[in-house]
Amino acid sequence: MAVTRSSGTPMTTFDVLAQAVTAHATRAAEKLRSHDLVAGTLTVFFHTNPHKPDRPQHSASRSVRLRPISNHTFDLVDAAVSAARRGWRGDPSGNGCGYTKAGIILDDLLSEADRPAMLFEPARPRDARLTDALDAINDRFGKKTMVLAREGFAGEWRLHADHCSPRYTTRISELPTVRV
């Protein structure tokens, strides 16, 4: 399972890259829970624009084994940001590479019912309630109504869709209106 997006502006600081990776990990966790799955491996990747050879080029990919295997938002976000930090190449002042795409790939997917038992399961009753509440609020009031603070609110990395093609073939509300 993968969640990837290109960014609207190049991500030159680790904080902005971490916001994008957090958003992708959050969405991946939602997708896992909606299909009653858990993941055993999380891979984070990010790269610069290969079509601009005059700029510094870099691509990174880091994988993390999830122990225990999980579909909890907080587990996936922590693992994703940790992996992204290991692959980050840039200086703290933000003069690093301008990453234009980032994503999360989840492997070793299992049905939640087939999850292997651990000898010493970590006691985290709060995590399940928090993720259930987060999912319920976002289902009721719309996607991204509530987000983790680590995802940020400015959304500098989000793709700008200012010049979208019309969607009237798939959305009745966007059908053109003709007046006589």
Side-chain angles (χ1 to χ4, degrees):
M1 180 183 296
V3 178
T4 70
R5 293 285 179 272
S6 294
S7 65
T9 57
M11 299 175 280
T12 57
T13 64
F14 182 76
D15 289 338
V16 174
L17 178 67
Q19 289 175 8
V21 166
T22 298
H24 300 328
T26 301
R27 178 67 184 125
E30 291 170 0
K31 289 169 80 171
L32 282 174
R33 288 191 299 275
S34 72
H35 294 290
D36 293 324
L37 296 172
V38 290
T41 306
L42 179 141
T43 301
V44 173
F45 70 90
F46 45 94
H47 61 80
T48 56
N49 188 344
H51 304 292
K52 300 206 177 195
D54 57 317
R55 295 189 181 161
Q57 297 293 311
H58 182 244
S59 65
S61 173
R62 300 291 186 270
S63 294
V64 176
R65 298 281 305 157
L66 300 172
R67 297 283 182 227
I69 62 176
S70 180
N71 62 7
H72 290 289
T73 301
F74 304 108
D75 293 344
L76 296 182
V77 167
D78 289 344
V81 172
S82 164
R85 189 176 310 281
R86 287 195 327 264
W88 170 255
R89 185 169 79 180
D91 60 13
S93 66
N95 294 326
C97 299
Y99 297 102
T100 56
K101 187 167 188 156
I104 302 286
I105 300 171
L106 298 174
D107 291 314
D108 302 331
L109 303 180
L110 289 172
S111 169
E112 196 162 10
D114 296 335
R115 169 195 296 215
M118 293 185 66
L119 184 58
F120 299 105
E121 281 286 336
R124 299 179 311 191
R126 191 186 105 212
D127 286 358
R129 290 196 317 259
L130 283 173
T131 55
D132 290 345
L134 189 65
D135 288 345
I137 289 169
N138 286 333
D139 286 345
R140 182 172 179 191
F141 297 107
K143 191 167 63 169
K144 298 289 182 191
T145 300
M146 282 190 70
V147 297
L148 300 181
R150 190 181 253 177
E151 190 174 325
F153 301 104
E156 303 166 19
W157 57 272
R158 287 193 171 86
L159 184 62
H160 301 291
D162 298 335
H163 307 289
C164 286
S165 301
R167 300 179 294 185
Y168 50 80
T169 59
T170 58
R171 300 201 182 203
I172 194 105
S173 63
E174 294 186 16
L175 273 171
T177 308
V178 178
R179 296 178 192 250
V180 182

